[in-house]
Structure formats: structure tokens, C-alpha cells
Amino acid sequence: MSFYTIPSFLVQPLRTPLLAIAIPVVLGSLSGLPTSKVVKGPWYKALPMGYASHLAIKVHDTSFSPVIKSVAYRGLQIYWAQLALNFAWTGLFFGAKKQLVALVDIVTLTGLTYAMTIDLHEATDGATTWFLAPYCAWLSYATYLNTGYWYLNRNRSDLKRLE
């Protein structure tokens, strides 16, 4: 059972591989614009999660199993939720300098991404897993860094005004 319905304008682009890949690349680029002067170098590379969403929508559209369709759809719901959290994190951490709020965001984001990976693994018979594994690893590392940054600086009076 779905807790929300994905609007068709979000589902339709995932049916085209190029658009499915372009969506996270464009959103990632847009979220990085405010920090482009602070963060230099090609550290952000588009991960193939967009293609994983395309594979998931293909399974959803073609599967005869209601269970597989439901799991694929739930994975796609999580996909859009984690994409929104991912988009928000850069602005929270670098832009607003709200490291604790960014930590809550990235912990939620990481959990949702692992849940999405598990759902899409089941729905696509593992076809999406290797596309999403690097993203899961990167988010785990980024969560560790965000946690460490917040923990090590939590008592600094010069940063208190930023929280």
C-alpha cells in the first residue's frame, strides 16, 4: 500500500533513460551552484542512480506481479524523497551552515537510500543494485563526515551562532 502517489510528471521522465539519468545530474548540479566557490574540483560525479530509476519504472510498467509492481513503486517513491533530501543537504550544510539540521537530513537520506536499494534490488531482480551501491557507500562516508564535523565542533562558541 502506498502512502503517497507519485505525480505522473515525475514518473513519465523515468521511462526515458536519458531523462532518468539527467534528473539527478541536473538537480545535483543545481544544488552545488551555491557552493561552487567554496568547494573546488571534480568531486561530484553523477552516479548512475538515474538509470536505476529507469530500470525500476520499466519493471513497474511491464511486470505482471502485483507484488513486484508494488515494491518497484515504493522504491520509486523513496527515490523521489531521497532526491529531495539530497538536494536540500548542500544548502543546509554549506549554505545555511546548519550542520545539525544537515546531519538529520543526511541520516534520513542515507536510510531512505538503503531502503530504496533493497526495494529496487527485489523489484529488478538485482539489476539496479550495482548502480546504487556506490551511492550508498558515498552517503555512508558523507554521513560519517557530517557526524564528525558536527560532533567535533558542537561546543565551539564561534560556531554556535551558525546553528
Side-chain angles (χ1 to χ4, degrees):
M1 176 130 193
S2 299
F3 59 93
Y4 74 92
T5 302
I6 304 171
S8 63
F9 74 89
L10 294 177
V11 172
Q12 202 57 32
L14 302 180
R15 292 189 169 98
T16 306
L18 184 61
L19 289 175
I21 293 167
I23 290 168
V25 171
V26 168
L27 287 177
S29 298
L30 288 175
S31 74
L33 281 177
T35 61
S36 62
K37 293 179 180 149
V38 179
V39 182
K40 299 283 185 205
W43 61 273
Y44 183 84
K45 298 291 184 195
L47 297 172
M49 70 174 173
Y51 193 69
S53 70
H54 170 69
L55 294 176
I57 197 69
K58 276 180 48 178
V59 165
H60 176 269
D61 289 347
T62 60
S63 178
F64 293 113
S65 167
V67 172
I68 296 299
K69 284 177 105 54
S70 175
V71 172
Y73 193 76
R74 185 176 62 220
L76 289 167
Q77 289 174 318
I78 297 170
Y79 171 78
W80 286 106
Q82 67 79 33
L83 208 57
L85 287 169
N86 189 325
F87 184 76
W89 183 86
T90 301
L92 291 170
F93 189 86
F94 292 110
K97 306 229 184 297
K98 299 288 187 187
Q99 282 76 30
L100 182 57
V101 178
L103 178 59
V104 171
D105 179 283
I106 201 166
V107 166
T108 306
L109 167 61
T110 303
L112 282 177
T113 302
Y114 275 90
M116 173 187 69
T117 301
I118 291 165
D119 279 354
L120 296 184
H121 174 84
E122 181 183 342
T124 64
D125 207 20
T128 57
T129 306
W130 290 112
F131 290 111
L132 296 171
Y135 184 45
C136 288
W138 166 248
L139 282 174
S140 297
Y141 181 62
T143 301
Y144 163 77
L145 291 175
N146 193 157
T147 303
Y149 184 86
W150 170 80
Y151 181 78
L152 294 171
N153 292 291
R154 71 191 184 286
N155 293 322
R156 285 186 51 189
S157 59
D158 59 327
L159 294 179
K160 282 293 182 196
R161 60 182 165 69
L162 299 177
E163 276 297 322

